[in-house]
């Protein structure tokens, strides 16, 4: 087992969830899968399919068809009582508010540990949830994400300002047409007034 995986195992033995930063998570999973009860989720966007996959890993005979996510989570909770499970979730930065509560529920299970990987430097859906993970290469993770988020704010501000200028330009040109139209109307009115005298 490589050095990185040995570090992961040490954290898992302390019952800590692990957060990796821009790593090839599937490579870690392949090594784990031969020795431990583990399941790999390529993205949290898989939604219900991911929970069906987890339940099938725990009990291959379980029927997952037509079950709601809450029923699947309940099934996972019931099956996990007598075994440990390591859930590898890649692209964890794609976690949405909709899926967040489900992963929080899994994280609370004593026999489930999460090993997740974040690939993109963007604002996470729930920063407090990340505090439940031991972050490998934390300084690089925090610095890169902070810089990226700061740059995003600057870009958003500049885009907003450009839209404001564009709106102002359109409004001023419309105002010019209105003034010109009123001026022309007054001239025509005056001309018609003199003609009709």
């Amino acid at each position: 087992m490589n050095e990185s995986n040995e570090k992961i195992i040490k954290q898992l033995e302390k019952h800590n969830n692990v957060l990796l930063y821009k790593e090839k998570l599937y490579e870690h999973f392949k090594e784990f899968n031969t020795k431990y009860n583990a399941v790999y989720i390529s993205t949290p966007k898989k939604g219900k399919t991911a929970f069906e996959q987890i339940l099938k890993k725990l009990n291959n005979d379980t029927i997952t068809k037509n079950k709601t996510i809450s029923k699947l989570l309940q099934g996972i909770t019931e099956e996990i009582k007598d075994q440990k499970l390591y859930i590898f979730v890649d692209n964890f930065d794609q976690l949405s508010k909709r899926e967040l509560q489900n992963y929080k529920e899994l994280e609370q299970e004593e026999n489930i540990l999460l090993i997740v990987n974040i690939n993109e430097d963007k604002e996470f859906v729930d920063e407090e949830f990340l505090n439940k993970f031991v972050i490998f290469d934390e300084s690089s993770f925090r610095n890169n994400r902070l810089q990226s988020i700061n740059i995003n704010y600057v870009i958003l501000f500049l885009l907003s300002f450009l839209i404001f200028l564009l709106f102002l330009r359109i409004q001023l040109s419309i105002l010019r047409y209105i003034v010109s139209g009123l001026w022309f109307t007054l001239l025509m009115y005056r001309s018609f007034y003199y003609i009709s005298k």
Side-chain angles (χ1 to χ4, degrees):
M1 189 165 278
N2 69 38
E3 190 182 327
S4 183
N5 277 352
E6 283 174 11
K7 285 181 184 175
I8 292 171
I9 287 167
K10 280 180 185 174
Q11 291 301 328
L12 295 174
E13 284 171 352
K14 293 176 187 173
H15 205 75
N16 291 326
N17 296 304
V18 174
L19 189 150
L20 303 173
Y21 178 58
K22 292 187 178 180
E23 288 200 30
K24 292 178 180 175
L25 190 67
Y26 190 72
E27 296 303 314
H28 292 285
F29 165 74
K30 280 196 296 188
E31 203 169 335
F32 262 82
N33 201 31
T34 57
K35 298 176 182 178
Y36 299 95
N37 194 20
V39 63
Y40 176 80
I41 312 295
S42 59
T43 171
K45 283 185 174 179
K46 285 181 89 172
K48 186 181 173 186
T49 312
F51 304 117
E52 288 175 343
Q53 191 180 333
I54 294 166
L55 190 53
K56 281 282 184 189
K57 178 71 180 184
L58 294 166
N59 183 350
N60 201 33
D61 299 328
T62 304
I63 297 164
T64 57
K65 196 177 179 183
N66 298 327
K67 282 190 177 179
T68 63
I69 289 177
S70 60
K71 286 285 181 190
L72 290 168
L73 289 169
Q74 187 182 338
I76 292 166
T77 305
E78 288 166 6
E79 291 290 339
I80 204 66
K81 284 176 183 169
D82 56 347
Q83 53 185 312
K84 249 195 179 3
L85 179 69
Y86 301 101
I87 303 174
F88 288 74
V89 187
D90 214 343
N91 302 298
F92 204 56
D93 40 278
Q94 295 176 0
L95 185 69
S96 66
K97 283 183 180 176
R98 189 173 155 189
E99 296 298 331
L100 175 65
Q101 197 53 47
N102 301 326
Y103 281 91
K104 279 185 172 180
E105 200 171 317
L106 286 176
E107 188 274 330
Q108 288 171 357
E109 285 301 317
E110 204 172 304
N111 290 345
I112 293 178
L113 285 165
L114 299 173
I115 302 95
V116 301
N117 184 48
I118 283 186
N119 286 308
E120 283 186 42
D121 298 319
K122 64 179 186 180
E123 198 166 358
F124 191 69
V125 66
D126 183 355
E127 292 291 331
E128 280 183 31
F129 187 46
L130 292 184
N131 294 333
K132 295 185 179 246
F133 293 81
V134 170
I135 302 170
F136 283 26
D137 194 13
E138 186 167 3
S139 59
S140 176
F141 171 74
R142 299 271 182 216
N143 290 339
N144 288 346
R145 289 179 74 246
L146 188 65
Q147 286 171 10
S148 174
I149 290 164
N150 286 344
I151 288 166
N152 286 342
Y153 288 138
V154 170
I155 290 168
L156 289 174
F157 176 76
L158 287 173
L159 281 172
S160 300
F161 187 68
L162 286 171
I163 289 168
F164 167 75
L165 289 177
L166 181 68
F167 179 75
L168 194 64
R169 172 83 177 104
I170 290 168
Q171 289 299 326
L172 289 175
S173 64
I174 288 171
L175 187 64
R176 195 177 71 216
Y177 288 128
I178 291 169
V179 169
S180 298
L182 283 171
W183 182 250
F184 183 73
T185 305
L186 286 170
L187 285 175
M188 292 307 294
Y189 174 80
R190 196 180 72 177
S191 300
F192 289 138
Y193 180 77
Y194 283 120
I195 291 168
S196 63
K197 268 191 163 182

